[in-house]
Amino acid sequence: MKHTLSVLVENKPGVLTRVAGLFARRGFNIDSLAVGQSEDPALSRMTITIDGAEQPIDQVTKQLHKLINVVKIRDLEPKGMVAGELLFVKVSAEGEKRTEVLQIAEIFRAKIVDVDRRVVTLRVVGTTDKLEALLELLKPLGVLEVVRTGTIAIGRGRGG
Amino acid sequence: MSPDKKLKGSEALVAALEHEGCEVMFGFPGGVAIPFYDALYDAKKLRHVLVRHEQGAAHAADGYARATGKVGVCGSTSGPGATNLVTGIATAYLDSSPLVAITWQVRSDLIGTDAFQEADITGITLPIVKHSYLVKKTADLPGVVHEAFHIASTGRPGPVVIDIPVDVALGELAYHDADALDLPGYRPTVRGHIKQIRAAAKAINEAARPVLYLGGGVISSGAAAEVLRLAELRRLPVATTLMGIGSFPETHELSMGMLGMHGTVTANYAVHECDLLINLGARFDDRVTGKLKAFAPHAKVIHADVDPAEIGKNVAPLIPIVGDIRQVAAGLVKELEGMEWPEERTAEWLARIAARKEEYPLHYDEPSDGKLAPQYVIEEIDRVTGHDAVICTDVGQHQMWATQYYTYTSPRQFISSGGLGTMGFGLPASIGAQIGRPDKTVVDISGDGGFQMTVQELATAVSCELPIVVCILNNGYLGMVRQWQDLFWNKRYSCTSIESQPDFKRLAEAYGALGLRVTEKDEIEPALREAIACEGPAVIDFWTSPESNVFPMVPAGQEITEMIGGQAKGKGRRTS
Ligand SMILES: Cc1ncc(C[n+]2csc(CCOP(=O)(O)OP(=O)(O)O)c2C)c(N)n1
Ligand SMILES: [Mg+2]
């Protein structure tokens, strides 16, 4: 099962290295990691997604907790969170392919952020599943470049 | 220190260390360390011991910490000085020893430029520290030192690195002692959950075949008295890990000695047969468990540790307790005191253990080559020092014999690199231990191989006039590796014979220490007495039987029942 960890860390130099280094040393694989400032400038919030089948989630969170700069960890329930990711994709869109790309973009509510005669660049926000589905459809048309942020997530309701 | 005095960073560091109660540090200077050494020149309370290699500084500080329970402090210059500390930091990390390592760094504006003697020591040590700091501002120094000491010594202790660019030492600050902590992410759980303690007490009360399995956590939390009370209250047989040696007196009838790879038959079989295993401050290390699946197969497990990550890491306990072992043990005693307990409940079990102790004591045969039995040398050290010396060891066969044939009676009496198994640890650790415990006889038991890894620290011991007694069990081999080749690799002794040895007696004399050689049994005691009486360091070169092996032995990754050399005394295969 996939786990989404919301990790509050002190906003200090080297903290990302400590977290990444811990994962490497203990042999835990990270699926994605996204980090940015939180509501408090002294703290950053990381969203880390990992495969719980591959590694004992209990050990991952306990080891993370041991890092002095890690303040708080939440293992977000899939039902109790809102999650999403931002993706840019550059697709070749020459001739009649262009209409097809635009149609797909429309369905996925992807925004066209750059166009020239040969390529269209789309920006789309959504769950990992949605982004995967989009890429699947675009693939036959010629995906030239993909960049994505990794999932960020937040708990639903008041619970912080 | 009067409030808000203007100080240089280097002077502030000395003041901050003194404020933390640091009386001695071990180090070695270099270019960017000069400002600090200049400040040390005027230090009133802080003593600096000049080692001969930075690895020695780290081990000495570690030995001091283990012998006293205080934070050990070591220091080095940037680059190679700092990288020389790495083995010592890793050693402290694996054995949860409170160490603060101060490394000097190139100027802030040069960091990242591959400047002369620049090494990214906070990066290099990241996986082997509890925490680390790269100090950016002079004003941060007192606070960082205070936090570092706090982190190193609380919760599960461990090493903390403070890397300080030289310009930070040269800058000025308005100094005042730091007493506040800004560590929002660091709150070790000290008090075990009362519900868990009650559940554990109930399980202990109901067990028919309990075993108390004690690790280093008992010693680091100062829980020996509480644990003794607990064991006596329900007559719990006790097995200790290597790190737990001294947490329970081996002279006590409930003591079964050490468990694990070279543990006693009694301890290992007790764990194998017990219905309740009570782990206090140990971590189910592979050298203890052997094949994990077959470890303590009939037991319910209680596991108490101050580090929550240890619980469930290797073994999923029925009753986990996160907390300081001293508090947990005191809590268990309190609960048990209020419970009814029929003494017959464990009578059969205790009788079985007593019988096994009788039938399967540690034993060895007299070597047939006429050389000294290494085990006998340790027995003699034990006898001559009356179970009361602080014993430091190196790593190898001699280390295991030191666990088996010396009788430990108190915490902090046995100092050894358990987790990392660092050859070269013994001599510098004994220097730190002797400085920390001037009242004690400190004996370093080393091998002829490992002794040479940090032999240069004899100069440190001589210059500090430390009365340490270094006992080399000289078998002409990297003995422990040779033993594995003997038992599992068809006696193909590849690269384990160390034929060209220095003359250790003359080597000691060259350093200005007392050097002695012992080849006969009856020379052992007089040599030990002379070495102990000597005011400075002494080295005794014991010529021991080259092919003696350490038994019993549970081969790596195997089950307790596959123990080699665990036969009853006088039966079965030779055990030396
Ligand atoms: C730094 C280091 N290198 C290698 C080893 C592997 N090793 C473990 S025991 C041992 C042999 C030690 O020989 P010696 O010091 O003579 O002790 P003995 O086993 O003979 O008592 C070796 C090489 C180690 N533990 N540490
Ligand atoms: Mg040897």
Side-chain angles (χ1 to χ4, degrees):
Chain A
M1 186 184 130
K2 253 206 177 11
H3 285 266
T4 307
L5 302 179
S6 177
V7 184
L8 200 61
V9 300
E10 287 185 84
N11 187 3
K12 286 189 173 163
V15 175
L16 182 60
T17 320
R18 285 179 204 274
V19 171
L22 173 80
F23 275 78
R25 179 167 99 75
R26 297 271 172 194
F28 304 143
N29 288 315
I30 304 180
D31 283 353
S32 73
L33 188 157
V35 57
Q37 206 180 76
S38 73
E39 64 284 358
D40 176 347
L43 300 171
S44 299
R45 188 168 270 110
M46 293 182 178
T47 306
I48 303 173
T49 60
I50 56 171
D51 190 342
E54 272 179 46
Q55 48 243 325
I57 186 70
D58 183 54
Q59 262 299 302
V60 175
T61 53
K62 283 172 167 177
Q63 294 293 351
L64 266 178
H65 252 307
K66 280 172 69 171
L67 295 178
I68 307 292
N69 300 127
V70 169
V71 177
K72 193 171 171 189
I73 303 173
R74 279 187 70 201
D75 184 0
L76 295 168
E77 287 282 332
K79 281 193 196 128
M81 71 174 184
V82 188
E85 155 171 40
L86 169 67
L87 170 145
F88 289 122
V89 55
K90 209 176 271 181
V91 212
S92 73
E94 285 174 291
E96 69 260 32
K97 279 205 288 182
R98 180 172 291 257
T99 349
E100 211 177 320
V101 169
L102 296 182
Q103 273 173 358
I104 293 171
E106 172 85 36
I107 297 165
F108 280 84
R109 301 209 189 145
K111 200 163 175 208
I112 292 144
V113 287
D114 187 46
V115 203
D116 71 10
R117 275 194 302 125
R118 289 157 144 199
V119 299
V120 168
T121 303
L122 306 180
R123 185 186 76 195
V124 59
V125 172
T127 60
T128 305
D129 288 350
K130 174 177 161 181
L131 303 189
E132 297 297 338
L134 169 69
L135 290 176
E136 208 45 50
L137 284 177
L138 292 177
K139 224 188 253 166
L141 302 170
V143 170
L144 302 173
E145 196 177 328
V146 173
V147 59
R148 51 206 288 182
T149 57
T151 299
I152 59 168
I154 196 164
R156 288 183 185 275
R158 285 208 56 146
Chain B
M1 186 64 50
S2 59
D4 289 359
K5 196 172 164 215
K6 271 261 185 253
L7 290 185
K8 282 212 197 97
S10 49
E11 296 162 340
L13 181 61
V14 172
L17 289 170
E18 289 180 343
H19 177 61
E20 297 303 324
C22 174
E23 294 160 352
V24 59
M25 69 174 287
F26 304 84
F28 200 86
V32 292
I34 293 176
F36 176 63
Y37 278 85
D38 192 65
L40 272 178
Y41 206 63
D42 297 324
K44 299 280 180 308
K45 285 185 272 177
L46 176 57
R47 169 182 173 202
H48 180 278
V49 172
L50 180 66
V51 295
R52 298 301 186 267
H53 183 296
E54 291 85 351
Q55 183 185 350
H59 292 328
D62 189 350
Y64 173 87
R66 296 186 201 215
T68 61
K70 295 188 220 164
V71 174
V73 180
C74 61
S76 77
T77 193
S78 65
T83 56
N84 272 349
L85 289 176
V86 170
T87 301
I89 295 170
T91 303
Y93 181 72
L94 270 265
D95 286 343
S96 308
S97 182
L99 184 78
V100 168
I102 296 165
T103 55
W104 293 99
Q105 183 54 277
V106 300
R107 264 183 8 233
S108 305
D109 61 311
L110 291 178
I111 290 180
T113 66
D114 302 316
F116 178 64
Q117 294 195 327
E118 179 187 0
D120 172 13
I121 197 65
T122 50
I124 289 168
T125 55
L126 208 59
I128 52 166
V129 295
K130 185 168 172 187
H131 196 49
S132 52
Y133 293 90
L134 172 56
V135 183
K136 296 266 167 74
K137 294 199 296 268
T138 307
D140 292 345
L141 269 174
V144 165
V145 170
H146 184 56
E147 284 184 9
F149 272 71
H150 177 72
I151 291 169
S153 60
T154 54
R156 178 180 185 170
V160 178
V161 166
I162 309 178
D163 195 29
I164 316 175
V166 59
D167 50 301
V168 171
L170 296 169
E172 281 201 340
L173 79 165
Y175 181 87
H176 55 93
D177 292 331
D179 288 304
L181 296 166
D182 177 25
L183 297 169
Y186 182 67
R187 287 174 304 261
T189 307
V190 173
R191 211 167 281 279
H193 201 290
I194 184 67
K195 255 185 157 157
Q196 299 299 94
I197 290 178
R198 284 202 181 119
K202 185 162 175 286
I204 293 170
N205 213 48
E206 288 168 1
R209 300 190 308 278
V211 165
L212 198 50
Y213 155 32
L214 304 177
V218 177
I219 295 169
S220 57
S221 69
E226 288 75 5
V227 166
L228 178 65
R229 176 89 188 99
L230 174 66
E232 288 182 337
L233 198 59
R234 285 299 175 268
R235 308 197 37 73
L236 305 168
V238 175
T240 63
T241 67
L242 185 101
M243 293 305 298
I245 286 177
S247 62
F248 192 81
E250 293 180 349
T251 44
H252 198 286
E253 55 162 346
L254 289 167
S255 170
M256 301 185 290
M258 188 171 76
L259 80 168
M261 182 176 273
H262 292 297
T264 63
V265 173
T266 309
N268 280 334
Y269 272 88
V271 168
H272 191 70
E273 294 168 359
C274 70
D275 68 352
L276 181 71
L277 186 64
I278 310 146
N279 172 341
L280 302 183
R283 58 189 174 94
F284 296 106
D285 174 67
D286 59 274
R287 283 295 187 263
V288 159
T289 63
K291 189 187 210 168
L292 199 53
K293 277 210 183 95
F295 180 71
H298 315 290
K300 285 193 218 170
V301 173
I302 298 170
H303 188 183
D305 203 292
V306 74
D307 178 1
E310 280 309 331
I311 291 172
K313 188 178 82 178
N314 296 332
V315 168
L318 185 70
I319 307 173
I321 310 174
V322 178
D324 178 76
I325 299 303
R326 187 167 169 189
Q327 302 248 4
V328 171
L332 289 171
V333 166
K334 193 164 163 229
E335 292 300 318
L336 286 164
E337 275 171 342
M339 292 180 183
E340 294 276 326
W341 182 70
E343 198 149 333
E344 317 83 72
R345 191 164 282 161
T346 59
E348 190 276 336
W349 177 236
L350 290 172
R352 197 193 304 182
I353 285 170
R356 208 171 259 140
K357 270 211 244 183
E358 194 63 31
E359 196 178 352
Y360 299 90
L362 288 166
H363 61 98
Y364 58 91
D365 294 339
E366 208 44 47
S368 48
D369 56 11
K371 294 257 175 73
L372 297 170
Q375 301 91 337
Y376 180 70
V377 176
I378 309 279
E379 286 176 327
E380 283 292 278
I381 298 172
D382 188 26
R383 190 174 61 80
V384 171
T385 59
H387 314 327
D388 190 47
V390 172
I391 302 291
C392 300
T393 80
D394 220 79
V395 170
Q397 291 184 307
H398 62 278
Q399 175 190 32
M400 293 302 130
W401 288 317
T403 68
Q404 295 178 330
Y405 291 95
Y406 196 94
T407 315
Y408 300 92
T409 52
S410 58
R412 307 197 177 282
Q413 193 189 356
F414 178 73
I415 295 174
S416 190
S417 169
L420 199 67
T422 308
M423 285 172 71
F425 176 77
L427 172 60
S430 70
I431 290 174
Q434 184 74 79
I435 288 175
R437 294 301 308 269
D439 54 319
K440 286 275 183 186
T441 297
V442 175
V443 178
D444 166 40
I445 297 173
S446 276
D448 46 332
F451 176 68
Q452 295 184 66
M453 285 203 171
T454 48
V455 60
Q456 75 285 341
E457 300 311 331
L458 265 185
T460 310
V462 168
S463 71
C464 295
E465 298 172 4
L466 298 173
I468 54 171
V469 178
V470 179
C471 297
I472 302 173
L473 299 196
N474 186 350
N475 54 10
Y477 278 112
L478 301 174
M480 188 54 96
V481 181
R482 186 206 53 75
Q483 171 167 345
W484 286 44
Q485 291 170 330
D486 177 3
L487 298 175
F488 314 118
W489 296 88
N490 269 325
K491 288 188 188 281
R492 289 157 56 88
Y493 294 165
S494 176
C495 298
T496 43
S497 166
I498 28 182
E499 294 121 19
S500 95
Q501 292 280 43
D503 177 333
F504 290 117
K505 174 176 155 45
R506 282 167 55 208
L507 183 63
E509 287 164 0
Y511 274 106
L514 173 68
L516 300 168
R517 177 178 307 127
V518 171
T519 57
E520 305 300 325
K521 267 182 158 182
D522 56 7
E523 295 167 2
I524 300 177
E525 179 173 350
L528 283 170
R529 297 222 181 269
E530 185 182 351
I532 291 167
C534 166
E535 277 173 12
V539 176
I540 314 176
D541 180 16
F542 291 99
W543 286 18
T544 60
S545 176
E547 298 203 19
S548 291
N549 283 341
V550 183
F551 291 118
M553 176 178 196
V554 181
Q558 298 205 15
E559 301 181 22
I560 301 293
T561 45
E562 277 155 301
M563 182 184 282
I564 309 172
Q567 286 78 8
K569 189 170 181 178
K571 293 185 199 154
R573 58 176 287 159
R574 287 170 53 84
T575 54
S576 73

